[in-house]
Amino acid sequence: MKKLFLMVMAVWAGLAGTAAAQNSLSPAEATVYEGDKLADEGAWCWFADPRALHYENASGTINSSYVGYIDVHGAVKAVQYDFLKGRRSEVLIRSYFQPDDHNNPTFLVLPDERVMIFYSRHTDEPCFYYRISQVPGDITTLGEEKKILTKDNTTYPSPFILSDDPEHIYLCWRGIRWHPTIARLSLPDENDEVQIDWGPYQMVQSTGARPYAKYYSNGKDRIMFTYTTGHPDNENPNWLYLNRVNIKTLQLEDVQGKVLSTIADGPFKVNRTEQYAVDYPVAVVDHTPGVRDWVWQVATDKQGHPVIAMVKISGDKKKHDYYYTYWDGQAWK
C-alpha cells in the first residue's frame, strides 16, 4: 500500500509539474492530460467495493492492478495491468448479465495470492457468483463460475479478509430487506467451493426503505460501514451514520467501541429522531435539518480514524455541496 501511495503521489507530482510547465506555454502549445481509457464501454456503481485493486507481493513476483466494470451489453469484465510485464489484458468474467451498473465485479486477494472476483445481479436473484484465478495474481486464468446461495436478494458485494481471522471471508452487501447484511464464509476448498458458516444477518433496520452503505476495514479485526437512513430521493432529511463490526465478538459497535447489538440477535434499529441522536450521539455522523445526506466513500486517516466523503443535498434537490467528515477522536467534524 505504501508503494501504491507513493506511486499515486508521484503521478500527482508529475501532473502538477506538467500543469506548471503548461502555464508558460501559449494556449496553442498547451496540452491537457485526460487520463488513459481502459475500455470503450463500461460502468460501475460506487456501492460495491473494491471495484479496482492494486496488489504487490513481498517476493516481487506479482505487481498488478485489476479494474472491473460491466458493459452496455451486460458483459461483466475486468482489465488487468501487469506492471512486471508491461501488459494489459481484458478479461470476460461473465456474458449475458443485466446491463446494469449495480452489477460491477469486486476483487479479493486470497491468502494463496489467487484473486477472487464477486458479482451479482441487481436484486432479482438470491445468490452471488464468483470466479477465482487459477494462477496467483493472474485473472486471465479464471476458474469456473461458482454460486453462493442466499435466501434474500443480493446487490453490492464487498468482501474482506482480516488478519485476526485469516481463515474466513467476511462478505457485506445490500441484502435482507434491502439493508446492510453480512455473512462469514469459509476460504475456498480444493474445488474452490465456499460455505457460509455464520449469517447472513441483517445488521441494521432503518426507518428508511433502503439504506446505502460503504464499507472499509482496518485489515485486522473490524469492518466499519457508513450508511444513510435511505435513498436521498425518498428521505428528507436523510441522516448519515457509522457503525463497526467487531469480528472477534460478532457485535455491532459505535466508533468508540460502545456495543450497540449482537448481530445474530437481530438488527440494530436506526431512525432519524432527535431522541435517537441524543441516545447514540457517536453513531450519528450528520443530521443537518432539511438536508438529504449521500455517501461516497469511507477510509481512515493516519490515526485509524474514519474519514467520510459525503454530499449534502438541499431539500429541493437543486443544490449539492461536497464535504468530508472526520472523527477526531472525540467528535465528528
Side-chain angles (χ1 to χ4, degrees):
M1 289 303 295
K2 180 181 285 186
K3 288 182 179 179
L4 178 59
F5 173 76
L6 292 174
M7 182 177 72
V8 171
M9 292 305 293
V11 170
W12 275 109
L15 291 177
T18 301
Q22 287 174 1
N23 287 337
S24 63
L25 300 176
S26 69
E29 296 173 309
T31 59
V32 177
Y33 176 68
E34 295 183 345
D36 295 312
K37 184 169 66 174
L38 288 174
D40 290 328
E41 299 175 336
W44 61 12
C45 182
W46 71 92
F47 286 107
D49 279 315
R51 294 153 288 156
L53 181 69
H54 181 80
Y55 180 67
E56 296 180 49
N57 62 3
S59 64
T61 59
I62 301 172
N63 183 355
S64 292
S65 291
Y66 316 95
V67 181
Y69 50 93
I70 185 164
D71 72 15
V72 295
H73 310 290
V76 182
K77 295 179 178 179
V79 162
Q80 172 178 288
Y81 190 84
D82 187 329
F83 289 89
L84 299 178
K85 298 176 180 177
R87 185 170 65 196
R88 174 194 178 279
S89 305
E90 185 175 61
V91 178
L92 177 63
I93 301 168
R94 169 68 187 266
S95 299
Y96 302 110
F97 227 50
Q98 292 168 309
D100 186 324
D101 67 345
H102 291 71
N103 303 339
N104 66 267
T106 59
F107 303 92
L108 179 70
V109 178
L110 297 171
D112 62 8
E113 298 191 310
R114 294 186 300 153
V115 182
M116 188 172 184
I117 302 178
F118 293 82
Y119 49 104
S120 70
R121 291 172 63 88
H122 184 190
T123 67
D124 69 350
E125 196 174 22
C127 72
F128 284 107
Y129 296 91
Y130 67 91
R131 296 180 70 184
I132 302 174
S133 70
Q134 300 305 287
V135 173
D138 186 1
I139 64 170
T140 67
T141 66
L142 290 177
E144 66 181 64
E145 182 178 82
K146 305 281 188 178
K147 269 187 181 184
I148 302 170
L149 298 176
T150 64
K151 283 176 53 181
D152 299 275
N153 58 286
T154 59
T155 313
Y156 306 138
S158 292
F160 301 92
I161 295 178
L162 297 101
S163 61
D164 280 8
D165 185 11
E167 299 301 318
H168 291 99
I169 298 167
Y170 289 83
L171 184 62
C172 302
W173 71 94
R174 190 181 78 184
I176 302 170
R177 301 184 183 91
W178 288 275
H179 277 59
T181 299
I182 190 170
R184 187 177 65 193
L185 316 177
S186 62
L187 291 178
D189 63 17
E190 63 276 8
N191 298 313
D192 284 347
E193 300 285 351
V194 302
Q195 304 295 327
I196 296 177
D197 70 359
W198 177 78
Y201 293 116
Q202 178 184 344
M203 291 188 282
V204 298
Q205 174 62 54
S206 172
T207 51
R210 297 189 183 192
Y212 283 75
K214 292 285 291 185
Y215 300 88
Y216 192 82
S217 87
N218 65 357
K220 184 179 185 297
D221 59 0
R222 282 171 172 78
I223 299 167
M224 67 180 68
F225 64 108
T226 182
Y227 57 96
T228 55
T229 311
H231 194 292
D233 275 352
N234 306 321
E235 307 292 335
N236 184 20
N238 197 37
W239 288 12
L240 186 65
Y241 314 83
L242 183 136
N243 302 148
R244 303 188 312 195
V245 177
N246 184 328
I247 66 163
K248 293 180 179 179
T249 65
L250 300 178
Q251 291 178 315
L252 205 64
E253 306 172 339
D254 67 20
V255 71
Q256 292 181 318
K258 175 185 175 181
V259 175
L260 302 175
S261 70
T262 297
I263 293 172
D265 289 346
F268 175 62
K269 291 182 170 53
V270 176
N271 65 45
R272 57 184 185 188
T273 65
E274 291 305 319
Q275 187 58 50
Y276 181 87
V278 171
D279 294 340
Y280 302 101
V282 175
V284 178
V285 177
D286 185 72
H287 58 119
T288 305
V291 167
R292 304 170 187 263
D293 282 338
W294 199 216
V295 62
W296 274 19
Q297 187 62 284
V298 59
T300 53
D301 62 16
K302 293 178 181 178
Q303 288 74 43
H305 297 155
V307 182
I308 302 168
M310 62 174 295
V311 186
K312 292 186 178 184
I313 304 171
S314 62
D316 60 9
K317 307 179 191 177
K318 292 182 179 180
K319 184 179 180 184
H320 293 220
D321 291 329
Y322 298 84
Y323 292 85
Y324 68 90
T325 302
Y326 64 97
W327 176 255
D328 70 355
Q330 301 294 325
W332 292 105
K333 297 294 182 66

